Amino acid sequence: MMEKTNKKSIFENPLFSTKVKSANVKPPELLIGYFLGPFGALLASGIFTNFLNRYWTDVLFANYRVETVVDGETVMQLPAGSPIATFLSLLPLISTILIVAGNLLVGQLIERTKTRAGKARPWMLLSSLLLAIGCIVLFIAPMGNGTDTPVLTMVLTAIAYNVYYAIAYPMYNTANSTLVPVSTRNSSQRGLIASFTNFAHLGVMGAGGMVFPAIVSLFLGGWDNPNFTGWTVTFIVIGIVSFLFVVLQYYFTRERVTEESFHLENQDAPKKSISIGMQFKGVGTDAFWWIIIIFYLIFQFSGSLKNMSCNYFTVAQYGKDFGNYANTIINVLGAVPMAIAMAFIWPLSRKYGKRLVVMVGLLIGAVGGIIAGIWADVFPVVCVGVALKSFGSSPACYMILAMISDVLDHIEAKHGYRCDGLTMSIYSSIMAATTPLAQAFFNLITNAGANATMVTVCYIWIETGVYITCAVLMLFFIVEKYLKSDRVQILERQKAEALAAGIEWVEPEVRLRREQEEAERLSEEARKMELKARCEKKGLSYEEEEAKYQAKMEEKRRAAEAKKAAKAAKSNKKEGE
């Protein structure tokens, strides 16, 4: 993957060139590169977080359940202390070691990769195939026969689980997370990118929590009479979707910050490599880095615990018949406020700062959690509490990557090098590892969902306490006030390095603008050639057709200027009032 001095990388081939030519982040890049791409890539993960544990207990190992009386009601569940129950508790816990190792390895591979496509995007492209394979292999393990311990099934499940979570997922998610800080230096645009990226993450969680239960009921036989073949076919389709959307994301993203260092390098000189020791020193000595990593760790763990315990909570509180419907309703009420919040979180963050908006939101979410927890057996009140809780958590969900990106710029200003790969591998490790840790924790303290009281603690109270803790952490997260001075320091260092190496210094914004202008010039030339060819083929006058085109473009320009002038007049009028 790494680009050599005397050997061309495959990413020199125009076939692998990005479709993004603009110096600024524009709608196609936002929508495809940072929403549709991640949504398709992480769709399987969103379903796994909500229902993989349920698939294991109620589908794959369903034949090993026994009748148990819980609160006077007879239910089918795995016996406590059985080999399978122990396996389901230990698998995610032990796999966490491999997951973290996989993420850290990918982070270092990214940090040492230098290609025309950037350092993260090449690994994203490779992950497209691995994600599809990992998604599919999780659902081809054979069901046991119900008469003995299904050793083969457990072995294949363990292998498949780690193919997805320790190899495929780290490769994609670390690369995907790294794209946010290296996409642009513009803090405002980066905040918008982070919002779209995290909206995609929340979208797949919503799809897993709201849409997939209907698919289970309508097409997969439900939980009482599951269709194992249906599950396999479903995830073959989802695996193919993952592959296609990751490839699409690759072509509609660009690493503008990575390109800064690429243009400054002397191609005849060996590439500089920042050791992992230097990276750890860079992040480990920065207080803001520790604050945001601890923030994300406890926030993500409590969220994973909430998501996977939701179905168990609704069934335990409201009965089996209504519980599945209640699960869908609660997930809808959790998703809708977050979708609505996206419309104004970015503008509010630009005006008041990310830190303040996140902190206030978390306190609102904590109030919602307290309401839902006190009246956990009253469904309408729980719905109100969950909606408020989700609304309050929205700023943290949308802005976390933007806040991490600000920290990475601050570290670069202090030390002269970036720590994107290491930081995003840790970020991705947390994202991946908190799901299996939550599974192991949940299965351990609730006896695989049998203890209704502890299920409520997992679903409501742990996350509520975390919100309060995270709000306190935000009091000390003041990195935003350093952003302007950090940018000046970074530019001065880049200029000094360029001049010392005898390379012409061009500010990144100017270089990107020149590249955009050149791309637009080439595009215009291609358009004229295509028009000439069409006119020759159809016997039309090229001059007349070109005049029509230019008149149409002039009309569009005038309309845009009129709209801009009207907007400015309206703004001036408001200021005058």
Side-chain angles (χ1 to χ4, degrees), residues 32-43 172 176 197 200-201 204 249:
I32 299 175
Y34 295 100
F35 177 68
L36 291 179
F39 184 91
L42 298 171
L43 181 58
Y172 171 78
N176 179 53
T197 298
H201 281 259
V204 296
Q249 182 181 5

Side-chain angles (χ1 to χ4, degrees), residues 313-314 316-318 322 326 330 333 368 370-386 456 459-460:
F313 169 79
T314 54
Q317 289 291 339
Y318 314 118
F322 180 67
I330 283 179
L333 290 171
I370 292 170
I371 292 171
I374 293 175
W375 291 280
D377 57 340
V378 183
F379 183 64
V381 178
V382 169
C383 288
V384 173
V386 167
T456 301
Y459 180 64
I460 297 175

Side-chain angles (χ1 to χ4, degrees), residues 320-350:
K320 190 173 184 180
D321 293 334
F322 180 67
N324 289 321
Y325 294 104
N327 177 72
T328 300
I329 293 170
I330 283 179
N331 276 293
V332 170
L333 290 171
V336 171
M338 299 194 82
I340 294 172
M342 186 182 178
F344 52 83
I345 284 176
W346 180 60
L348 285 175
S349 296
R350 290 185 68 189

Side-chain angles (χ1 to χ4, degrees), residues 46-268:
I47 296 171
F48 294 167
T49 300
N50 285 279
F51 292 105
L52 183 58
N53 203 74
R54 187 76 186 268
Y55 167 79
W56 285 343
T57 59
D58 289 19
V59 180
L60 187 60
F61 296 110
N63 293 338
Y64 298 87
R65 297 178 301 177
V66 298
E67 290 187 353
T68 306
V69 178
V70 179
D71 296 330
E73 182 180 355
T74 301
V75 297
M76 297 292 292
Q77 63 182 32
L78 294 171
S82 67
I84 297 173
T86 302
F87 168 76
L88 294 181
S89 295
L90 291 178
L91 171 61
L93 190 62
I94 294 174
S95 298
T96 301
I97 299 172
L98 295 177
I99 292 169
V100 172
N103 278 280
L104 292 174
L105 175 61
V106 172
Q108 291 311 299
L109 290 173
I110 288 174
E111 206 61 66
R112 285 163 171 72
T113 299
K114 297 181 185 297
T115 73
R116 288 287 178 183
K119 60 183 181 180
R121 293 173 62 245
W123 295 102
M124 171 181 288
L125 187 62
L126 178 59
S127 76
S128 62
L129 184 60
L130 296 177
L131 273 177
I133 294 172
C135 176
I136 293 168
V137 295
L138 264 171
F139 294 87
I140 61 174
M143 297 176 68
N145 58 23
T147 60
D148 53 17
T149 303
V151 176
L152 177 61
T153 304
M154 289 193 287
V155 170
L156 291 177
T157 298
I159 293 172
Y161 186 85
N162 283 286
V163 166
Y164 185 85
Y165 276 109
I167 301 175
Y169 188 89
M171 188 172 292
Y172 171 78
N173 200 52
T174 302
N176 179 53
S177 302
T178 302
L179 279 180
V180 176
V182 300
S183 60
T184 177
R185 292 280 188 186
N186 188 308
S187 182
S188 176
Q189 292 180 10
R190 202 158 55 190
L192 192 58
I193 286 174
S195 295
F196 271 76
T197 298
N198 285 297
F199 189 55
H201 281 259
L202 296 170
V204 296
M205 296 307 298
M210 294 183 292
V211 180
F212 195 70
I215 295 176
V216 172
S217 300
L218 296 174
F219 304 108
L220 305 182
W223 297 110
D224 293 328
N225 188 28
N227 182 337
F228 189 76
T229 302
W231 278 84
T232 303
V233 171
T234 298
F235 279 90
I236 289 175
V237 173
I238 292 175
I240 295 172
V241 168
S242 298
F243 168 78
L244 295 175
F245 274 75
V246 175
V247 172
L248 192 64
Q249 182 181 5
Y250 169 83
Y251 281 108
F252 282 87
T253 49
R254 183 178 181 182
E255 298 183 27
R256 296 172 181 83
V257 174
T258 306
E259 291 172 15
E260 292 177 7
S261 60
F262 181 80
H263 282 269
L264 288 174
E265 287 175 352
N266 186 334
Q267 298 302 304
D268 295 325

Side-chain angles (χ1 to χ4, degrees), residues 26 38 53 120 132 137 165 184 187 227 251 333 341 351 355 358 379 407 434 438 444 449 469 509 529 549 562 576:
K26 294 188 175 180
N53 203 74
V137 295
Y165 276 109
T184 177
S187 182
N227 182 337
Y251 281 108
L333 290 171
K351 185 173 182 178
R355 179 179 74 104
V358 168
F379 183 64
V407 172
T434 49
L444 180 65
T469 303
E509 290 81 1
M529 290 177 63
Y549 174 81

